[in-house]
Amino acid sequence: MQSLQTLSFFTTLLPLPSKPLLKPSIPHLKSNFPAKSATTAPPLRFLVRAYSSDEFPVGDDDAFLASFGPKEKESEEEARRRNWVERGWAPWEEILTPEADFARKSLNEGEEVPLQSPEAIEAFKMLTPKYRREKIKEMGLTEDEYYAKQFEIKGEIPDPIETLWSGPLVLGLVPPRDWPPRGWEVDKEELEFIRGAHKLHSAVRLDYEKVEESVKEAKDTGDMCFNRYKVFLKQYNEWVEANRDRLEEESYKLDQDYYPGRRKRGKDYNEEMYELPFYYPGQICAGKVTAVHLYQGAFVDIGGVHDGWVPIKRNDWYWLRHHIKVGMHVMVEILAKRDPYRFRFPLELRFVQPNIDHLIFNTFDFPPIFHRDEDTNPDELRRDCGRPPIPRKDPGIKWEEEPLLSDHPYVDKLWQIHNAEQMIMDDMVANPDKYKGKKLSELTDEEEFDDDNSVEYGKAYYKKSLLNKMIVKIRLKELDLEAAFAEREHHRKLSKEAEERGEKYKITMFKRNEEMDEYDLIHWRRSFEEREALLRDISCRQTLGLPLEEPGRYVDPNFFGKDQYDPDSPLYRYDYWGEPKNSEKSRQERMTDAHNKSIVGKGTVWYEMSYEEAIKQQMEREKLGIKPKVYDDEDSDKDDDDDDDSDDEDFDYSILGSPSAELVASQPHVNGTESSRLSDEGIFED
């Protein structure tokens, strides 16, 4: 309960009630409030009573109800709408989809169009729940019946698109130009006969007005290349019989599940379906729409093992939903035939009948592809898919000026094998009984060899220094122990002969070392040949005016902007904690701070000097052999104690000498920094 403790609070309320205010018995209130003097305020004759919420004084009931009572009755929907109107905001302004916002604002160049027709005004009023309920009652329907009736109204359905032709659509039976498939051999004479159809088909010009009559009368069938097409069908059927099982196995291996656009198999497969080699870009086929997808497009069955793909994206379906429907018969043109193992949809189509090209605004940048585990080179992948290179910064490396390579990667392995052979030879000398009666070629590994754990890392002491140690395990099968033993015996024999002659024998190179040098020489030759080929390529490109790099591969650094992600920069490492302390930038900052501190020192003399001048003077002093004074903590403590006694001794009288002296030694040093000569110019002007 809240207690009213001062009278001034009560002055803002309504007049006091008529019932008397009795003095409560609260003896401890006196000690809580300090007494005020008579001059500042009159003495309180009574203490204010604390009221409960149900007996709070209101005085005039009519005035209280007029200010705090409920207004006229208003439903929740009306109050919400009034709040929206007063605040100038309504949720439909935010909830509009981009398509609806575009449709609403694009009718009058981006400005909202006021509703003018009675139907539009009535439809807008029906958005209000109160108005909608009144209308439903006037119609004599229940709410469920009204909504069921609304779903029956489909709105304005546009008329079907009629594709107009400038003339009759003439189709010829022409074999594909890319026949036969790669790796399939056919009779050369038959192939030459088939390819003659391309020359005839491109040379013949048909009279569009008389083409129907000529086809009906079966004239000019020789120009239609039926015989050549029959030879192609014969070769095509032979290829299908030989490769049908292989194609189905590869389909199950690469595609775990079927989806539109991929190869049909199992019960969906029919032997009369055409394989990919049957089709070619530019071919016009009749088909049936089998599926539509919001983000991918429409799929058309043209009688092949792969359904054709018509790329349509997202918002374009708003304009196409009445014209392209599942189950309708269409005519399509093949735009591209692609590798089914790299591209998701091998056949790309466009609609010829109905022609909806003018209603497609969003296109795919590139056809979708598969990313396999074996795709390790992204440049090779994008070239295979016909995509442009990903722009990157030019590293500025001129490969024709780089040094030649002479370190073969197999040399490290040879060095490990050589060390293992020599260790076994040393062990044979130390423990001859261990190898007695054994052939070196028959030695086997004592433990089972594990390729994953063939290298062990650890640490070991060498001359009181703890260094990293690497232990490499090698199979005995990889070692040529007999050759190493024969080589050691040969060197032992030569050393004995040298001792007999009184000479000192020294092993210059082992056979393994010579083998390493040969591998390095091979690597150097290969690097040299690559350099020569690169120089030839550069000279040829410069002669022909071709670019030296792939167009678009490297771009100017300004292309990426200021804060572009750079994986090579340490700024984008996941464990980046700021600029390292030993970097060049922070080193210069530390030198600058040290210089400023050396100027200020521990005295009160301030001298401003640029960092470059300080470095120059420091180098001059080093040439002259002048060393700056070093301050220690002990010296500073002694200086503090003997400050009064050493004032005269600390004063440098050399500054009072003649200013014309050219001696460097006459210039004062302020805390280790050489300063310019002092003058009394302008000291006493003020």
Side-chain angles (χ1 to χ4, degrees):
M1 184 185 299
Q2 184 180 6
S3 60
L4 304 178
Q5 299 172 350
T6 59
L7 190 63
S8 61
F9 178 85
F10 225 49
T11 58
T12 58
L13 297 179
L14 297 173
L16 296 175
S18 57
K19 66 179 185 178
L21 297 173
L22 301 178
K23 181 179 179 180
S25 57
I26 309 178
H28 63 278
L29 281 177
K30 295 178 182 180
S31 60
N32 291 346
F33 300 98
K36 295 183 180 180
S37 62
T39 57
T40 57
L44 294 175
R45 297 181 182 178
F46 54 86
L47 287 175
V48 181
R49 178 186 172 186
Y51 290 93
S52 61
S53 59
D54 57 340
E55 56 180 348
F56 194 83
V58 293
D60 190 358
D61 294 342
D62 298 333
F64 181 82
L65 291 175
S67 56
F68 296 105
K71 312 290 183 188
E72 58 194 35
K73 282 198 171 184
E74 188 178 27
S75 65
E76 185 178 351
E77 287 85 359
E78 293 172 349
R80 189 180 293 113
R81 171 174 281 279
R82 179 179 54 80
N83 188 24
W84 290 342
V85 172
E86 289 175 359
R87 294 174 58 195
W89 175 89
W92 51 77
E93 295 176 4
E94 305 292 334
I95 296 173
L96 276 179
T97 61
E99 295 82 13
D101 188 51
F102 171 76
R104 180 80 177 273
K105 293 181 178 179
S106 65
L107 298 177
N108 193 10
E109 297 182 357
E111 298 178 2
E112 292 192 13
V113 181
L115 303 175
Q116 296 176 351
S117 63
E119 295 85 1
I121 296 174
E122 181 68 19
F124 191 79
K125 286 183 179 179
M126 290 295 285
L127 295 174
T128 309
K130 181 180 178 182
Y131 187 82
R132 187 167 61 243
R133 283 196 294 268
E134 293 176 357
K135 283 292 181 181
I136 291 174
K137 288 181 181 178
E138 291 178 6
M139 295 167 66
L141 301 174
T142 63
E143 199 166 352
D144 294 337
E145 292 173 350
Y146 170 77
Y147 287 125
K149 186 178 179 182
Q150 289 295 314
F151 281 113
E152 293 177 2
I153 302 174
K154 296 181 180 179
E156 295 183 5
I157 298 178
D159 298 331
I161 295 179
E162 295 182 4
T163 305
L164 304 178
W165 310 91
S166 59
L169 182 64
V170 180
L171 304 178
L173 293 175
V174 184
R177 291 179 179 270
D178 60 350
W179 178 261
R182 185 178 298 176
W184 182 254
E185 295 183 359
V186 295
D187 187 11
K188 293 184 178 180
E189 294 182 357
E190 291 183 354
L191 182 60
E192 187 176 355
F193 180 68
I194 292 172
R195 288 180 175 172
H198 303 142
K199 300 177 183 178
L200 294 173
H201 187 265
S202 58
V204 171
R205 292 291 179 266
L206 296 176
D207 187 358
Y208 290 142
E209 297 177 356
K210 301 179 181 178
V211 67
E212 295 182 4
E213 299 176 2
S214 62
V215 171
K216 289 179 181 178
E217 297 174 2
K219 294 180 180 179
D220 299 332
T221 54
D223 293 340
M224 295 184 181
C225 309
F226 286 152
N227 295 331
R228 301 175 190 270
Y229 196 77
K230 289 178 181 177
V231 176
F232 158 70
L233 289 179
K234 179 180 76 71
Q235 291 187 358
Y236 164 78
N237 291 328
E238 292 174 357
W239 180 87
V240 170
E241 291 295 330
N243 294 276
R244 181 183 289 127
D245 297 336
R246 176 183 63 83
L247 294 172
E248 188 163 0
E249 289 177 4
E250 290 177 353
S251 172
Y252 278 106
K253 180 181 178 182
L254 296 174
D255 297 337
Q256 297 183 3
D257 298 313
Y258 171 79
Y259 55 89
R262 299 305 296 167
R263 181 182 174 84
K264 299 172 185 174
R265 57 203 184 190
K267 60 181 181 180
D268 297 330
Y269 177 77
N270 188 358
E271 292 186 358
E272 296 180 358
M273 290 181 174
Y274 295 111
E275 299 285 348
L276 277 180
F278 181 81
Y279 298 105
Y280 59 91
Q283 191 173 8
I284 294 179
C285 309
K288 181 180 179 181
V289 180
T290 57
V292 293
H293 196 283
L294 175 62
Y295 299 102
Q296 293 174 352
F299 296 92
V300 182
D301 181 10
I302 54 176
V305 291
H306 292 271
D307 284 349
W309 169 60
V310 183
I312 302 171
K313 283 174 69 176
R314 297 178 65 111
N315 298 348
D316 290 345
W317 279 115
Y318 178 82
W319 319 105
L320 301 176
R321 67 187 190 278
H322 298 297
H323 305 301
I324 302 299
K325 296 182 179 179
V326 176
M328 68 183 296
H329 293 273
V330 294
M331 291 180 65
V332 293
E333 178 188 358
I334 299 177
L335 295 181
K337 180 174 70 170
R338 301 188 175 97
D339 181 10
Y341 305 116
R342 171 58 64 196
F343 294 89
R344 296 180 62 187
F345 311 121
L347 291 174
E348 183 178 346
L349 315 176
R350 62 173 281 267
F351 285 108
V352 176
Q353 171 71 26
N355 188 358
I356 58 167
D357 290 345
H358 62 289
L359 297 177
I360 296 179
F361 303 98
N362 301 318
T363 57
F364 286 79
D365 296 333
F366 312 104
I369 62 173
F370 289 112
H371 290 272
R372 310 288 187 189
D373 294 336
E374 55 269 17
D375 297 332
T376 55
N377 189 348
D379 287 334
E380 184 180 346
L381 173 63
R382 64 164 183 77
R383 288 195 195 101
D384 189 22
C385 303
R387 300 189 176 188
I390 300 172
R392 63 188 74 177
K393 290 182 181 178
D394 189 356
I397 300 174
K398 293 185 178 180
W399 296 106
E400 65 273 13
E401 297 178 2
E402 290 294 304
L404 297 176
L405 302 176
S406 62
D407 48 346
H408 198 282
Y410 188 61
V411 168
D412 293 338
K413 182 69 175 177
L414 277 178
W415 177 250
Q416 296 170 4
I417 291 173
H418 171 64
N419 286 337
E421 291 173 349
Q422 297 304 318
M423 289 171 65
I424 293 177
M425 294 297 108
D426 294 340
D427 191 40
M428 287 179 64
V429 175
N431 304 313
D433 297 337
K434 183 179 178 181
Y435 300 92
K436 191 174 182 180
K438 293 183 179 179
K439 289 185 178 181
L440 294 176
S441 58
E442 296 177 357
L443 294 178
T444 57
D445 298 319
E446 296 178 358
E447 300 178 0
E448 187 176 353
F449 191 83
D450 186 7
D451 289 323
D452 298 334
N453 301 320
S454 60
V455 181
E456 296 180 2
Y457 297 93
K459 292 190 175 182
Y461 282 94
Y462 177 74
K463 293 183 179 180
K464 299 183 180 180
S465 299
L466 187 62
L467 304 176
N468 294 327
K469 181 179 69 171
M470 182 177 69
I471 302 175
V472 182
K473 298 180 181 179
I474 299 178
R475 290 189 182 90
L476 285 172
K477 294 180 181 179
E478 299 178 11
L479 308 181
D480 194 356
L481 295 177
E482 292 183 351
F485 181 73
E487 184 182 15
R488 176 161 288 206
E489 290 295 327
H490 176 67
H491 286 301
R492 187 180 299 172
K493 178 183 176 183
L494 293 178
S495 63
K496 284 183 179 180
E497 293 177 357
E499 286 179 4
E500 292 175 358
R501 294 194 303 268
E503 299 175 358
K504 188 176 181 181
Y505 181 73
K506 184 179 180 181
I507 302 175
T508 54
M509 288 186 72
F510 287 95
K511 290 183 179 179
R512 288 291 188 187
N513 298 121
E514 295 175 0
E515 191 176 353
M516 295 178 204
D517 292 343
E518 290 176 1
Y519 272 102
D520 284 339
L521 180 60
I522 292 172
H523 201 53
W524 181 87
R525 283 178 179 168
R526 179 178 178 181
S527 178
F528 179 75
E529 291 171 0
E530 289 179 353
R531 164 80 63 82
E532 293 295 317
L534 180 61
L535 291 173
R536 285 196 300 271
D537 181 68
I538 290 174
S539 61
C540 292
R541 285 176 177 271
Q542 289 176 344
T543 305
L544 298 174
L546 299 175
L548 298 181
E549 292 289 348
E550 185 179 3
R553 180 177 177 85
Y554 296 121
V555 295
D556 192 73
N558 299 331
F559 172 81
F560 296 101
K562 186 177 178 182
D563 297 325
Q564 181 70 16
Y565 170 70
D566 183 9
D568 299 329
S569 173
L571 184 65
Y572 295 99
R573 284 206 317 262
Y574 71 95
D575 57 347
Y576 181 72
W577 285 89
E579 189 73 16
K581 289 185 177 180
N582 58 350
S583 68
E584 184 65 23
K585 180 181 176 183
S586 61
R587 190 172 72 86
Q588 290 186 0
E589 289 177 355
R590 291 201 310 276
M591 288 178 65
T592 306
D593 293 342
H595 166 68
N596 294 336
K597 288 178 182 177
S598 69
I599 292 175
V600 177
K602 300 180 180 179
T604 57
V605 181
W606 285 81
Y607 180 75
E608 294 181 359
M609 182 185 295
S610 66
Y611 181 71
E612 291 77 10
E613 291 181 8
I615 294 300
K616 288 179 182 178
Q617 293 193 8
Q618 182 180 354
M619 294 172 66
E620 290 177 3
R621 286 197 307 274
E622 289 177 356
K623 289 180 182 178
L624 297 172
I626 302 173
K627 296 182 180 179
K629 187 176 179 181
V630 181
Y631 290 89
D632 298 331
D633 295 338
E634 299 176 0
D635 296 344
S636 62
D637 296 340
K638 292 176 183 176
D639 291 345
D640 294 340
D641 297 340
D642 305 334
D643 238 356
D644 301 331
D645 303 333
S646 60
D647 281 345
D648 297 335
E649 299 173 2
D650 290 349
F651 186 75
D652 189 0
Y653 288 94
S654 62
I655 64 176
L656 301 178
S658 61
S660 61
E662 296 294 329
L663 297 175
V664 182
S666 65
Q667 296 180 3
H669 287 266
V670 182
N671 293 326
T673 302
E674 184 179 338
S675 63
S676 59
R677 290 188 178 85
L678 301 180
S679 66
D680 55 357
E681 223 173 47
I683 293 179
F684 304 103
E685 285 180 1
D686 298 335

